[in-house]
Amino acid sequence: MAEVKEETMSVWQVSRMRTNAMFVGNVGALEQEDSGSQKDRLVRKIRREYQGLDEADDTAGKPSSTNTSGSTALQLANSGTVGEESTSSRALVKHANAPTLGEKIKPESKTKISSTALVEAKRGSSSVMPDWHAPWKLFRVISGHTGWVRAVTMDVSNEWFATGSGDRCIKIWDLASGELKLTLTGHIGTVRGLEVSPRHTYMFSCGEDKQVKCWDLESNKVVRHYFGHLSGVYALALHPTLDVLMTGGRDGAVRVWDIRTKANIMVMTGHGATIDAVKAQAADPQVISGGADSTVRCWDLRIGKPLVVLTNHKKSVRALALHPTEFSFVSGGADNIKKWELPEARFVKNFSGHNSIIQTLSVNQDGVLFSGGDNGTMHFWDYKTGYDYQNMETTVQPGSLASEAGILCSTFDRTGQRLICGEADKTIKIYKQDDDATPESHPILYRPTKFQKRW
């Protein structure tokens, strides 16, 4: 065969000819089109478009049979050499009300069936509806602090709760009656964190005075001090199974303490700014922290280094909340509330709609997520779907400024039926669900948005 001049060929033709020269003896002859590849592509396309429907065995890969299905059917009907059974076996889509050989075939019926099946399949994959939750209402207002209520924790027995405030006092309240039972003094700065041990008779507190204290609830006195922080301590978390305590603050380090020996076991550094929230759990990652550097870090407690660093937030992360039964958590900042799936810390969805600086997050075992903002706004979400089923604003105490309407801390009781909030108007407000509400009086109006899966 005559040689092909490269000057008269395009760049891709020259490249293909030189490649063929390495493997093919006849350089001038171009490779032939592979009919088998076209057949495979057509078969895969038919299977993809007609999932869930019966497929043909032989005619799916033949373009001539699919393109001229109507004419072929008429020829077979006129000839009479092929039976009704063989015709139905060659049909690409088998329908219960399929026409016989004498009837006129409507080609649009096949298209209608396939498109409807695909739409229903797509709807079925994303039809996750939120659970119905009763709305919440104000139940009790407790006054007693003379400063902003910055910390709240619940006792394991579900009989009392403790609050810490800007008046440097820790107060113990009875949950049933709301009466003051005890006042603990010892901090010389605002109390920012409280935690009651479920395995000991101890309560731990931290504050802006750089101090971390261990209180003996039997003698109501401080029995241990933990020294080491270089500035104010803003967050505190107690490990559920180990005798260790995690604290974080303005020095940007998460410090791990042995609660018995008062030793600073580990200093986990990495945050570039103030740490505002710390949470601990029994399974890896055992420590999760969020800070003003807009990152959430999941730490390996064995080596003291982060397993995952989440940089999805654009604003400082001020609140974290672990789900009591599901292996996941949520983080909140001024930009959004984000849900993460553990242990990989995989992003699940955004909880969009709370346009405020999120100061506190709380989750109960019924799947209710509460978020409180610094402007007094309160939102209740369905944890599974991110449905904002109730939002309202707090009412400031008479005599307070309107700017003091801020939710600074919150927690659910052990049953999940009471919500305790500490606010900037120096009060403690307890909320409960409305017993008279029904799904008919408060229906679910769920409209998912396309921004839920956005990073």
Side-chain angles (χ1 to χ4, degrees):
M1 183 174 290
E3 296 182 357
V4 181
K5 295 183 180 181
E6 296 185 0
E7 292 80 3
T8 60
M9 302 176 65
S10 61
V11 176
W12 67 271
Q13 289 177 334
V14 173
S15 176
R16 187 172 65 171
M17 185 188 70
R18 291 178 179 176
T19 304
N20 291 338
M22 300 176 61
F23 306 100
V24 185
N26 192 355
V27 179
L30 299 177
E31 70 274 15
Q32 298 180 358
E33 295 291 337
D34 187 8
S35 60
S37 62
Q38 294 181 352
K39 179 179 178 180
D40 295 337
R41 286 197 301 269
L42 184 59
V43 170
R44 289 194 298 268
K45 182 178 180 181
I46 293 175
R47 290 178 179 176
R48 183 173 62 252
E49 293 183 354
Y50 297 94
Q51 289 181 354
L53 303 176
D54 296 336
E55 298 179 357
D57 296 331
D58 299 327
T59 60
K62 296 181 180 180
S64 60
S65 63
T66 58
N67 296 335
T68 60
S69 59
S71 60
T72 305
L74 294 176
Q75 292 175 4
L76 293 176
N78 295 331
S79 62
T81 57
V82 181
E84 183 177 355
E85 181 180 358
S86 62
T87 306
S88 61
S89 64
R90 293 187 180 186
L92 183 61
V93 179
K94 296 181 180 181
H95 196 263
N97 300 323
T100 60
L101 291 176
E103 296 178 356
K104 185 178 179 180
I105 300 176
K106 297 181 180 180
E108 65 272 12
S109 61
K110 181 177 70 174
T111 306
K112 183 177 181 180
I113 295 172
S114 61
S115 62
T116 304
L118 293 176
V119 170
E120 292 297 331
K122 180 179 291 187
R123 287 178 179 176
S125 61
S126 60
S127 59
V128 179
M129 292 298 294
D131 298 330
W132 183 83
H133 304 284
W136 295 76
K137 63 180 182 180
L138 183 62
F139 173 64
R140 177 178 287 129
V141 179
I142 302 175
S143 301
H145 281 290
T146 58
W148 291 4
V149 184
R150 303 302 301 260
V152 60
T153 185
M154 195 69 208
D155 179 42
V156 182
S157 64
N158 205 42
E159 296 179 355
W160 55 268
F161 64 94
T163 56
S165 172
D167 57 6
R168 306 180 298 277
C169 294
I170 301 173
K171 293 182 180 293
I172 310 296
W173 309 87
D174 185 73
L175 180 61
S177 62
E179 296 179 355
L180 178 64
K181 300 179 66 175
L182 185 66
T183 300
L184 302 175
T185 58
H187 279 280
I188 59 175
T190 302
V191 180
R192 297 293 297 266
L194 287 173
E195 192 82 23
V196 178
S197 174
R199 303 187 302 125
H200 307 89
T201 59
Y202 294 149
M203 181 176 64
F204 300 88
S205 64
C206 64
E208 296 180 359
D209 52 3
K210 312 178 190 177
Q211 296 183 13
V212 180
K213 296 177 182 291
C214 175
W215 302 80
D216 188 352
L217 297 178
E218 292 181 345
S219 60
N220 299 328
K221 295 181 180 179
V222 178
V223 293
R224 293 182 183 91
H225 292 270
Y226 304 93
F227 297 104
H229 275 284
L230 306 177
S231 188
V233 187
Y234 290 171
L236 177 146
L238 192 62
H239 198 281
T241 58
L242 303 177
D243 291 335
V244 293
L245 176 71
M246 276 68 65
T247 57
R250 287 189 61 188
D251 53 5
V254 178
R255 297 180 183 268
V256 183
W257 310 86
D258 189 335
I259 65 175
R260 297 165 297 181
T261 63
K262 302 181 291 184
N264 190 358
I265 304 172
M266 193 178 300
V267 180
M268 299 186 292
T269 59
H271 280 284
T274 301
I275 297 175
D276 293 314
V278 175
K279 294 296 179 181
Q281 59 184 359
D284 288 329
Q286 300 185 45
V287 183
I288 305 173
S289 62
D293 56 352
S294 306
T295 63
V296 178
R297 295 176 182 263
C298 302
W299 301 89
D300 189 343
L301 194 58
R302 295 166 295 182
I303 60 177
K305 294 184 179 180
L307 294 171
V308 183
V309 179
L310 307 175
T311 60
N312 302 65
H313 281 281
K314 306 305 178 187
K315 301 292 184 179
S316 62
V317 180
R318 302 196 179 195
L320 296 172
L322 295 170
H323 195 279
T325 57
E326 183 181 323
F327 199 33
S328 61
F329 74 98
V330 288
S331 58
D335 54 348
N336 238 329
I337 301 173
K338 297 181 183 294
K339 179 180 178 181
W340 311 89
E341 184 181 275
L342 295 172
E344 297 87 2
R346 182 181 63 87
F347 174 77
V348 179
K349 61 165 62 73
N350 284 323
F351 290 35
S352 302
H354 197 165
N355 301 321
S356 174
I357 300 177
I358 307 299
Q359 293 281 1
T360 177
L361 293 171
S362 297
V363 187
N364 67 359
Q365 55 268 34
D366 296 331
V368 176
L369 170 65
F370 167 77
S371 60
D374 66 340
N375 57 355
T377 56
M378 308 168 61
H379 286 243
F380 294 89
W381 314 78
D382 179 66
Y383 188 83
K384 180 175 63 175
T385 59
Y387 169 51
D388 185 8
Y389 71 92
Q390 183 185 5
N391 56 79
M392 57 183 180
E393 293 186 6
T394 183
T395 303
V396 298
Q397 188 180 24
S400 301
L401 300 176
S403 59
E404 291 183 326
I407 314 295
L408 304 179
C409 59
S410 66
T411 185
F412 284 98
D413 68 347
R414 298 298 175 180
T415 64
Q417 303 300 318
R418 297 290 186 271
L419 175 66
I420 307 170
C421 297
E423 303 190 6
D425 61 352
K426 310 178 185 63
T427 63
I428 304 161
K429 294 184 174 67
I430 301 179
Y431 297 84
K432 71 172 185 178
Q433 289 181 317
D434 190 359
D435 298 332
D436 299 330
T438 61
E440 289 76 18
S441 62
H442 296 79
I444 297 177
L445 304 175
Y446 181 51
R447 296 291 184 272
T449 61
K450 63 181 179 179
F451 300 110
Q452 282 189 334
K453 298 294 290 185
R454 185 179 63 178
W455 289 85

